[in-house]
């Protein structure tokens, strides 16, 4: 199976200070047909430990690890930062920029206000996440297997060990040598892809919440170290990370509500089964694609929950470094508008796909920019409660 980001380039050499090696690049492909080095569990991830959400425990772990990394005066990979041929890394980041500009236009515009180093790092993270998602939802998803994801995770470890496989991997290796990034959120995202290959129903919101963490909340945890926390911020770093997590949760819940009809055509229902039952609904009602009054009431509850997470994300968005806030506020505002569009369609997300038009997106950008200029507030709520 090949990742759909394949470009012919001139051969380049990467030299690794930790372990001498020479790797030549011909065509940038991500063939993942190798036998995995070790097997991974196929069970559904544990939901909680001692009454605490596993997702929240992951946030604590990531914050602690990345804080320790940030305490060092030298980069995380300082002992074996790969040295690239002149122009190689520049071309690699240009590829990332083009991919981000093509597939995430509004977000890309927001990144243009960042410093050059942060821009490139966010583009590299975006591209890795997109490639990971394409394994399950891309044009070659029919060839998906557990071995493919196992090999992709092995490649991730190679990236963090300063041994990238191709040009796009090289940008992430360079990024983690400059920012305090821990591997855990990246591994967790791959775990989310594994869940997608073996699970098409979710008993309750607790299960769905964990899935949303793996496939989307992880992106927030990856991004905070790059975007940075405002020097004038006085709230705990964990609160900023939780806000980033909640933005990811809100985004994924919105994606789920927007795509209910499309997912149903694939036999998937990303909705809490117990809550469907509370409204007298079941999978059959989803597959029938009929918008009943019960469906509308159910959707109102689901939309309210997604908005709750967006509201919870606002505090952290205001405490990011000033130059990094615009893309985050753009995401907050535009994803909320998708929820508005579902309401405007009279809650018909079974036969219609809610979307925000290009003109409306561009009109929203100034509002997002204005919000990004706001001074961090410290007298807001300091704790977050999940809407279960």
């Amino acid at each position: 199976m090949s990742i759909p980001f394949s470009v012919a380039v001139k051969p380049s050499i990467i030299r690794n200070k930790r372990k001498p090696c020479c790797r030549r690049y011909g065509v940038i492909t991500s063939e993942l047909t190798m036998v995995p080095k070790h097997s991974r569990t196929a069970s559904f991830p544990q939901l909680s430990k001692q009454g605490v959400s596993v997702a929240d425990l992951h946030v604590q772990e990531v914050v602690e690890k990345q804080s320790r990394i940030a305490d060092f005066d030298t980069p995380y990979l300082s002992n074996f930062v790969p040295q690239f041929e002149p122009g190689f890394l520049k071309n690699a980041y240009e590829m990332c920029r083009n991919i981000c500009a093509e597939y995430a236009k509004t977000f890309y515009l927001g990144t243009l206000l960042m410093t050059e180093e942060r821009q490139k790092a966010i583009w590299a993270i975006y591209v890795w996440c997109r490639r990971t998602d394409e394994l399950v939802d891309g044009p070659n998803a029919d060839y998906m297997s557990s071995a493919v994801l196992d090999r992709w995770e092995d490649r991730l470890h190679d990236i963090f060990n300063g041994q990238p496989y191709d040009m796009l991997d090289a940008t992430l290796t360079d990024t983690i040598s400059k920012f305090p990034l821990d591997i855990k959120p990246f591994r967790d995202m791959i775990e989310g892809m594994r869940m997608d290959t073996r699970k098409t129903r979710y008993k309750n919101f607790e299960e769905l919440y964990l899935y949303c963490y793996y496939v989307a909340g992880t992106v927030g945890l990856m991004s905070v170290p790059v975007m940075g926390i405002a020097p004038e911020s006085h709230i705990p770093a964990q609160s900023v990370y939780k806000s980033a997590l909640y933005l990811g949760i809100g985004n994924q819940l919105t994606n789920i509500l927007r795509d209910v009809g499309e997912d149903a055509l694939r036999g998937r229902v990303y909705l809490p089964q117990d809550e469907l039952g509370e409204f007298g609904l079941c999978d059959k009602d989803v597959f029938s694609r009929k918008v009943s009054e019960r469906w509308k009431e159910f959707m109102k509850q689901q939309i309210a929950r997604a908005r709750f997470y967006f509201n919870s994300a606002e505090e952290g968005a205001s405490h990011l470094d000033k130059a990094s806030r615009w893309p985050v506020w753009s995401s907050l505002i535009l994803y909320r508008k998708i929820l508005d569009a579902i309401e405007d369609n009279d809650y018909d997300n079974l036969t219609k796909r809610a979307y925000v038009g290009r003109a409306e997106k561009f009109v929203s950008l100034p509002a997002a920019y204005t919000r990004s200029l706001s001074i961090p507030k410290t007298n807001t709520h300091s704790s977050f409660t999940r809407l279960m």
Side-chain angles (χ1 to χ4, degrees):
M1 177 177 178
S2 299
I3 297 292
F5 295 119
S6 302
V7 182
V9 295
K10 296 180 179 178
S12 299
I13 299 174
I14 290 182
R15 290 179 292 274
N16 188 291
K17 292 182 179 179
R18 179 179 62 89
K19 180 180 178 181
C21 68
C22 175
R23 185 168 299 166
R24 294 189 176 274
Y25 295 83
V27 177
I28 301 302
T29 58
S30 302
E31 298 295 339
L32 301 174
T33 56
M34 296 178 61
V35 176
K37 297 177 184 176
H38 52 278
S39 61
R40 277 76 169 184
T41 178
S43 61
F44 187 76
Q46 187 177 355
L47 296 175
S48 62
K49 294 180 181 179
Q50 298 180 338
V52 181
S53 162
V54 168
D56 290 338
L57 290 174
H58 288 342
V59 171
Q60 296 174 17
E61 182 179 347
V62 170
V63 172
E64 291 172 1
K65 286 184 176 180
Q66 294 185 162
S67 296
R68 289 199 297 270
I69 295 170
D71 286 339
F72 293 105
D73 294 331
T74 54
Y76 180 48
L77 292 177
S78 59
N79 292 329
F80 49 97
V81 177
Q83 300 298 307
F84 300 92
E85 288 187 347
F88 171 78
L89 204 56
K90 179 180 179 180
N91 292 335
Y93 274 117
E94 183 66 13
M95 291 171 63
C96 289
R97 184 190 71 80
N98 291 335
I99 292 168
C100 189
E102 180 177 357
Y103 294 100
K105 294 179 175 62
T106 303
F107 180 80
Y108 168 74
L109 289 176
T111 66
L112 297 183
L113 281 185
M114 296 180 178
T115 63
E116 182 180 356
E117 286 300 316
R118 285 175 174 168
Q119 281 179 5
K120 294 189 298 185
I122 288 296
W123 297 339
I125 291 172
Y126 170 83
V127 167
W128 184 88
C129 291
R130 181 173 180 81
R131 297 175 87 187
T132 303
D133 183 70
E134 289 283 346
L135 292 174
V136 175
D137 290 331
N140 294 314
D142 290 343
Y143 302 98
M144 185 63 191
S145 69
S146 59
V148 170
L149 287 173
D150 288 351
R151 177 56 190 147
W152 189 247
E153 185 169 348
D154 289 335
R155 279 183 56 169
L156 174 66
H157 283 272
D158 289 341
I159 290 171
F160 271 77
N161 286 327
Q163 297 179 327
Y165 179 80
D166 63 21
M167 286 184 78
L168 298 179
D169 285 356
T171 62
L172 188 54
T173 292
D174 183 64
T175 292
I176 62 180
S177 74
K178 297 174 179 175
F179 295 92
L181 289 165
D182 184 66
I183 195 173
K184 185 168 184 54
F186 296 86
R187 293 183 61 190
D188 284 349
M189 174 170 280
I190 295 174
E191 182 60 33
M193 300 303 112
R194 289 195 181 97
M195 292 167 63
D196 249 340
T197 65
R198 61 178 183 257
K199 191 173 182 66
T200 60
R201 301 292 187 280
Y202 294 84
K203 293 188 300 183
N204 49 45
F205 182 66
E206 187 178 17
E207 280 194 359
L208 186 62
Y209 176 84
L210 187 60
Y211 168 74
C212 290
Y213 159 74
Y214 278 118
V215 300
T218 48
V219 180
L221 304 190
M222 299 171 193
S223 302
V224 170
V226 174
M227 293 186 169
I229 298 176
E232 63 270 27
S233 172
H234 298 292
I235 68 172
Q238 186 162 334
S239 294
V240 179
Y241 275 86
K242 276 198 171 185
S243 291
L245 166 66
Y246 293 154
L247 176 57
I249 298 292
N251 286 352
Q252 186 61 25
L253 289 175
T254 301
N255 286 339
I256 288 170
L257 298 181
R258 180 194 62 195
D259 300 338
V260 169
E262 295 177 14
D263 289 332
L265 294 176
R266 300 188 300 159
R268 294 179 173 272
V269 180
Y270 292 95
L271 299 168
Q273 294 288 310
D274 60 343
E275 294 178 13
L276 280 169
E278 291 174 6
F279 287 85
L281 300 167
C282 62
D283 288 354
K284 183 179 179 181
D285 296 287
V286 178
F287 296 139
S288 71
R289 301 167 70 83
K290 293 182 180 179
V291 182
S292 63
E293 289 303 317
R294 286 181 296 181
W295 177 259
K296 293 179 182 179
E297 293 303 312
F298 172 70
M299 274 299 109
K300 290 177 183 178
Q301 182 194 70
Q302 303 302 309
I303 290 173
R305 171 181 283 145
R307 285 182 172 140
F308 166 84
Y309 282 103
F310 288 138
N311 292 341
S312 298
E314 283 195 4
E315 180 181 25
S318 294
H319 283 264
L320 292 172
D321 188 89
K322 184 177 180 180
S324 303
R325 294 176 202 157
W326 192 21
V328 176
W329 275 107
S330 297
S331 179
L332 268 167
I333 291 175
L334 292 174
Y335 264 82
R336 279 172 167 154
K337 287 184 177 296
I338 294 175
L339 298 175
D340 296 340
I342 294 174
E343 293 174 333
D344 293 341
N345 288 339
D346 200 22
Y347 303 97
D348 182 3
N349 51 357
L350 296 172
T351 65
K352 299 178 181 178
R353 193 176 195 273
Y355 69 94
V356 181
R358 180 178 298 180
E360 191 172 2
K361 286 182 179 180
F362 278 98
V363 168
S364 300
L365 289 178
Y369 180 67
T370 300
R371 294 299 299 268
S372 73
L373 299 178
S374 61
I375 299 174
K377 299 177 180 179
T378 57
N379 294 324
T380 55
H381 57 282
S382 59
S383 62
F384 299 89
T385 304
R386 290 216 315 278
L387 181 64
M388 302 299 289

